[in-house]
Amino acid sequence: MTLPVPTLTPAFDVEVALGPLEDHLGTSAGHRRVVPILGGRVSGEVDAEVLPGGADWQLVRPDGTIEIDSRYSARTASGDLLLLHARGLRTGSPEVLARLGRGEDVDPALYSFRTTVSVETSAPALAHLQRSLFLASAQRLASAVHYRAYRVG
């Protein structure tokens, strides 16, 4: 039996503005950090404003790799709400991770920042987004994150 090879189709871009990192230091789960999401935009297959109040809950591994767990809401111009959940990893060489940690802009080709993205909504017109798996390639900027989400086919 031959299984189909997944394909990737660009679906939407997300830009989120970030607040100051809150370092919770060592917890029972590990080195925990929380980064508030202040707002932003979703554009492409769906257009919406990212609402303030979300956050990126990070767990920093001993090798510097960061486990990403972001949850935030967005509202379309017609008032429909989306809940977005991005989970993944950001990793690279110790030097590149140190530069990112200092807020420097680093070429995203020098590190790996990938997430899965799931979408939840009560809007019938956007329900198709809930039936798709999205894989995203991301870039960390000094006070923002940008990612492009691809539908896995």
Side-chain angles (χ1 to χ4, degrees):
M1 168 174 48
T2 302
L3 295 173
V5 175
T7 58
L8 299 176
T9 305
F12 53 88
D13 283 7
V14 175
E15 182 94 26
V16 293
L18 304 173
L21 179 142
E22 301 165 3
D23 195 338
H24 293 248
L25 304 173
T27 71
S28 61
H31 185 163
R32 177 68 70 186
R33 305 186 321 185
V34 178
V35 182
I37 294 175
L38 305 178
R41 292 276 333 140
V42 180
S43 58
E45 201 172 292
V46 60
D47 291 307
E49 174 189 1
V50 173
L51 303 174
D56 178 12
W57 291 70
Q58 302 178 347
L59 196 59
V60 183
R61 295 179 180 172
D63 70 355
T65 297
I66 297 172
E67 296 179 22
I68 304 293
D69 186 358
S70 297
R71 295 171 190 247
Y72 48 96
S73 301
R75 179 179 290 121
T76 67
S78 61
D80 294 326
L81 291 171
L82 300 166
L83 301 171
L84 293 101
H85 185 192
R87 292 182 50 98
L89 298 173
R90 188 175 81 211
T91 192
S93 70
E95 298 78 23
V96 167
L97 294 176
R99 290 177 58 200
L100 289 168
R102 291 191 297 270
E104 295 179 23
D105 286 341
V106 178
D107 181 345
L110 297 177
Y111 60 99
S112 177
F113 187 179
R114 306 290 185 269
T115 66
T116 60
V117 181
S118 60
V119 179
E120 182 182 340
T121 185
S122 62
L126 301 174
H128 65 283
L129 296 170
Q130 301 177 118
R131 296 186 297 271
S132 293
L133 175 67
F134 299 98
L135 180 63
S137 180
Q139 177 181 18
R140 177 66 156 97
L141 304 168
S143 59
V145 166
H146 171 254
Y147 69 81
R148 176 160 294 151
Y150 296 85
R151 176 177 278 106
V152 178

